[in-house]
Amino acid sequence: MPISCAALLRLVLLPLVLLAVGCSSGSSGGDDSSGSETVEADTDAGGNTDTNSGGDDTGNGGDTDNDDDAGNGTETGQGNAPKALIANAFSGTSIGLSWQRDGATYAIYRGGEKIAETDNHFYVDHGLSINTEYSYSVASGDVNSESETAWVNAKTLINNTNSGLNNGAVAVPVLERLVNISECKNVRSALNLLDEDLDICLAAMLESNNMAGHLEDMRAFAARVRSEQDPAMVELGMRLFYSQSLSANGDVACASCHHAAIGCGGDNLSMPVGVNPLDPALVGPGRSDGINEVPIVPRNAQPICNVALWGSGLFWDNRVALTDRGIRTDSRDVSLNTEAAVGTGTLALMMAQAHFPVTNPAEMGDVTQFGYDASSDSGTTDYREDLVAANLGRESWSGLFNAAFGDDQITFSRIAQAIAAFEAVQLFIDNPFFDYVDGDLDALDNDEKRGAITFMSGNSGCTNCHAGAFFTTEGPRPANYPQIGIGTDENGSGADLGANGAGAFRPPTLLNVALTGPWGHSGQFATLRRNVEHYRDRAASVNQYYTNSEMCDLSQFSGLTDCASKVAPNGLALSQAILATTGGDAGNNLSDAEIDLVVRFLETLTDPDAANTSSNSVRALIPTRDGGPDGKQLDARDSSGKEL
């Protein structure tokens, strides 16, 4: 039979190619998903099939309860406590627990009473009371033995009526100047408030912003997302996310730019390094391809944690978006395939986004290298299916796909769906500020309270872009950040004009923002304080940036010869052109002391589990260092050689 040259080339190269999948790094991604749970699934709003292992009418998660009449249960005597035990609310009346799979059988205790026994690595406890904290112990043998038992606490939602469809973001913020708020003594600055007036003032601002209501919505949203994910799908997604088998040269995984142990699922670089790294196992600062002094991925790799909370779009420019007409992307095939698989529900944005890094030459693979047309929808679609999916050998991966989908068929659509499910459980939304909103007035110190007041006041303008409990309005805004890096301009000017031109980018959520530097769409600012200071006077900030060659303060470029001319050769002119278009010389005129207060407040938005890379919640997002199904797993380390 006659065969085209391109087809022949594909057949020849097929067994040799290892292609990349949906890791959201840099210009194609880098957005946003950390919850950590691998737990039971209910019917997914995006159309997933219910594959619960639990949830029967007895309320024991569907596991076999081997308690005898005395409630003593069966002792397994296996002698190993479950690793990375975590628990989270699934609703107002249920809590999900999960731990690392190890094949053991575990007894589940609530408040010291045995409620079930399971050989799964998850359990869902139903029939609980709303707004109630429960204590659990999970034991492989003697529940009183520290070596055989792990303990965890979790609290149900405050009610069981919230549908969990609102993510806590606010599109139209409340902007009230401090001087107009009587509870704040009509002062012009939080610096002028007496200590004894702080709680009254802050309570008034929280109420006017409906912060408690938005927080309740976000928690219900997160609980619903957690409850919908099938543990088998999440486990498959985790293995795919860390698999280098999916990259063009077998040396990049999604986790290469979005590792759970770095920056809430980022890489702490200004701009990520994708293909052809000198050391594939090295993740984060120090990663290099040995050739390009300035990375060829132009945008900062945003953290994955909390990506499931985004409701409007993903990527810095929202080019994967959810509209009233469905999923909108640059590819009709991707949009249609995504909706066919999961509808427009929870997983849709993440699944659609997961299609694009694989076709980005700088991030994970060049389709033209294998004879495909990168400019056509059919070319990139064929590339994903013919090569990416086909190079996951069934002998190695069939068990995981069969557990997740019911058969061992491997398609790119399934790969993207599984990665989306894994990203969906990466939720880190507990922090001291939310403890304060819940009523713990000692959760913040006085300067942090002044910072919260300053942040929410119309004086600062912070909530113009960062409103609600999710701390973002989600829609692109002109931030007037300095232009550095290679940019996205096809003419090679170095410009990156963002979503709607004139330097417009999606405001990131501020949850865990203190962990996610460098800050800016290209990682322009080395410190969070400098990032906040930028908004005092953006024009002055831009001039200061280039006068002081601040791009050379970034750790990624600090030792680079002729740094300024290489990192931002046209930066000042490009930035001034954007400023001229947007009128970006306006600012909030905050004092240095007020900026310091805002930074103190932003630091209270950090989830302690996200900050602690040894926490169970982080460890649950990193697979066992066993090489993966086919020996190509990214078992990462940092520049000091420490295993991540």
Side-chain angles (χ1 to χ4, degrees):
M1 294 178 60
I3 186 169
S4 70
C5 292
L8 180 60
L9 180 61
R10 288 197 295 269
L11 289 173
V12 171
L13 292 176
L14 184 59
L16 305 177
V17 180
L18 298 170
L19 273 186
V21 154
C23 98
S24 46
S25 83
S27 62
S28 285
D31 262 311
D32 353 2
S33 261
S34 240
S36 27
E37 297 73 39
T38 50
V39 282
E40 115 175 335
D42 294 319
T43 302
D44 191 311
N48 287 339
T49 303
D50 184 338
T51 53
N52 290 4
S53 296
D56 63 12
D57 292 338
T58 64
N60 65 7
D63 298 308
T64 303
D65 187 338
N66 291 327
D67 288 38
D68 57 23
D69 291 341
N72 295 321
T74 302
E75 297 295 354
T76 64
Q78 293 166 309
N80 294 311
K83 296 179 180 179
L85 174 64
I86 52 178
N88 283 286
F90 272 22
S91 69
T93 57
S94 61
I95 288 174
L97 298 89
S98 70
W99 53 93
Q100 287 186 353
R101 180 188 295 279
D102 61 8
T105 299
Y106 290 102
I108 315 295
Y109 297 80
R110 183 203 317 126
E113 178 183 356
K114 184 177 177 184
I115 57 176
E117 189 169 284
T118 180
D119 56 6
N120 285 320
H121 61 291
F122 57 91
Y123 178 79
V124 182
D125 192 15
H126 297 278
L128 305 176
S129 299
I130 62 172
N131 197 29
T132 303
E133 185 171 31
Y134 292 89
S135 176
Y136 293 92
S137 50
V138 182
S140 63
D142 182 0
V143 71
N144 296 311
S145 169
E146 291 189 6
S147 64
E148 297 176 322
T149 307
W151 295 264
V152 70
N153 292 341
K155 188 177 183 180
T156 54
L157 298 180
I158 65 174
N159 65 56
N160 208 36
T161 58
N162 193 312
S163 64
L165 298 179
N166 190 320
N167 66 354
V170 172
V172 182
V174 175
L175 294 172
E176 186 65 69
R177 297 182 68 83
L178 196 57
V179 72
N180 297 325
I181 303 174
S182 59
E183 293 88 345
C184 299
K185 308 299 182 182
N186 304 106
V187 298
R188 295 188 176 276
S189 170
L191 291 166
N192 303 129
L193 281 167
L194 299 176
D195 290 352
E196 55 264 33
D197 295 326
L198 290 173
D199 289 323
I200 296 173
C201 173
L202 185 48
M205 302 195 78
L206 293 175
E207 183 177 0
S208 68
N209 284 272
N210 189 26
M211 187 61 72
H214 297 315
L215 177 55
E216 178 188 344
D217 286 344
M218 185 173 69
R219 285 172 171 163
F221 189 101
R224 176 184 61 79
V225 170
R226 287 181 176 120
S227 71
E228 288 174 350
Q229 306 316 314
D230 173 12
M233 187 76 72
V234 172
E235 186 169 4
L236 170 60
M238 178 171 64
R239 290 295 189 171
L240 290 167
F241 196 84
Y242 284 82
S243 178
Q244 296 173 115
S245 290
L246 300 173
S247 64
N249 298 321
D251 57 6
V252 183
C254 299
S256 297
C257 299
H258 301 282
H259 199 284
I262 302 179
C264 213
D267 65 359
N268 288 163
L269 295 171
S270 292
M271 288 160 271
V273 176
V275 297
N276 302 317
L278 287 176
D279 183 352
L282 174 56
V283 173
R287 184 177 173 89
S288 170
D289 62 11
I291 298 174
N292 297 289
E293 294 178 306
V294 178
I296 56 176
V297 180
R299 290 180 182 163
N300 176 261
Q302 292 188 66
I304 292 295
C305 71
N306 298 327
V307 64
L309 298 180
W310 290 94
S312 297
L314 296 181
F315 295 123
W316 277 102
D317 53 10
N318 269 4
R319 67 183 178 279
V320 169
L322 184 59
T323 71
D324 55 0
R325 296 185 178 182
I327 291 292
R328 174 181 57 79
T329 73
D330 294 336
S331 165
R332 188 171 184 271
D333 284 354
V334 170
S335 300
L336 294 176
N337 290 343
T338 297
E339 291 193 30
V342 298
T344 57
T346 301
L347 298 183
L349 283 173
M350 292 176 289
M351 179 179 170
Q353 183 276 333
H355 285 73
F356 293 100
V358 66
T359 59
N360 186 292
E363 294 182 22
M364 300 184 78
D366 185 350
V367 305
T368 63
Q369 178 182 347
F370 306 100
Y372 291 86
D373 182 2
S375 65
S376 72
D377 224 12
S378 61
T380 52
T381 297
D382 289 346
Y383 176 79
R384 296 182 187 107
E385 297 297 346
D386 293 353
L387 298 177
V388 178
N391 278 284
L392 286 179
R394 287 196 177 185
E395 182 177 348
S396 301
W397 289 88
S398 61
L400 287 167
F401 275 86
N402 191 67
F405 290 100
D407 62 66
D408 63 358
Q409 183 183 11
I410 300 175
T411 66
F412 189 85
S413 179
R414 286 183 165 187
I415 291 169
Q417 182 178 342
I419 287 176
F422 172 59
E423 292 180 342
V425 299
Q426 300 186 37
L427 295 162
F428 289 86
I429 59 173
D430 296 324
N431 59 60
F433 174 66
F434 289 161
D435 291 340
Y436 184 91
V437 175
D438 288 337
D440 181 2
L441 301 186
D442 294 326
L444 305 183
D445 66 27
N446 286 342
D447 279 349
E448 291 165 345
K449 293 173 185 178
R450 287 188 172 87
I453 292 168
T454 304
F455 180 92
M456 286 187 285
S457 167
N459 304 45
S460 69
C462 297
T463 55
N464 273 315
C465 298
H466 301 285
F470 192 31
F471 288 93
T472 177
T473 54
E474 298 202 67
R477 300 287 184 90
N480 307 103
Y481 274 48
Q483 296 273 299
I484 68 172
I486 67 168
T488 59
D489 180 11
E490 294 181 355
N491 295 322
S493 70
D496 187 347
L497 300 183
N500 303 318
F505 296 93
R506 185 193 68 178
T509 171
L510 298 183
L511 296 180
N512 304 298
V513 66
L515 304 177
T516 60
W519 293 267
H521 65 271
S522 294
Q524 289 96 326
F525 293 123
T527 69
L528 181 57
R529 189 192 189 284
R530 179 65 180 90
N531 187 77
V532 175
E533 183 189 60
H534 172 72
Y535 291 96
R536 175 163 58 191
D537 184 332
R538 284 171 285 182
S541 172
V542 166
N543 289 328
Q544 173 187 332
Y545 190 87
Y546 293 104
T547 297
N548 297 335
S549 297
E550 290 184 39
M551 71 290 294
C552 302
D553 294 334
L554 298 166
S555 61
Q556 196 168 13
F557 309 119
S558 60
L560 184 60
T561 303
D562 298 325
C563 165
S565 63
K566 291 176 180 176
V567 177
N570 304 309
L572 179 59
L574 293 170
S575 300
Q576 288 177 334
I578 291 173
L579 286 165
T581 301
T582 62
D585 54 344
N588 53 36
N589 295 314
L590 292 181
S591 67
D592 284 345
E594 288 171 318
I595 289 173
D596 289 338
L597 292 176
V598 170
V599 173
R600 287 292 307 278
F601 164 65
L602 294 178
E603 290 169 345
T604 72
L605 302 180
T606 300
D607 187 314
D609 279 342
N612 176 13
T613 57
S614 296
S615 70
N616 284 352
S617 295
V618 170
R619 303 317 300 174
L621 300 171
I622 303 172
T624 303
R625 298 176 75 90
D626 57 7
D630 55 8
K632 291 292 292 182
Q633 180 171 289
L634 171 66
D635 291 328
R637 56 179 175 75
D638 64 18
S639 58
S640 68
K642 178 184 176 182
E643 293 182 351
L644 298 176

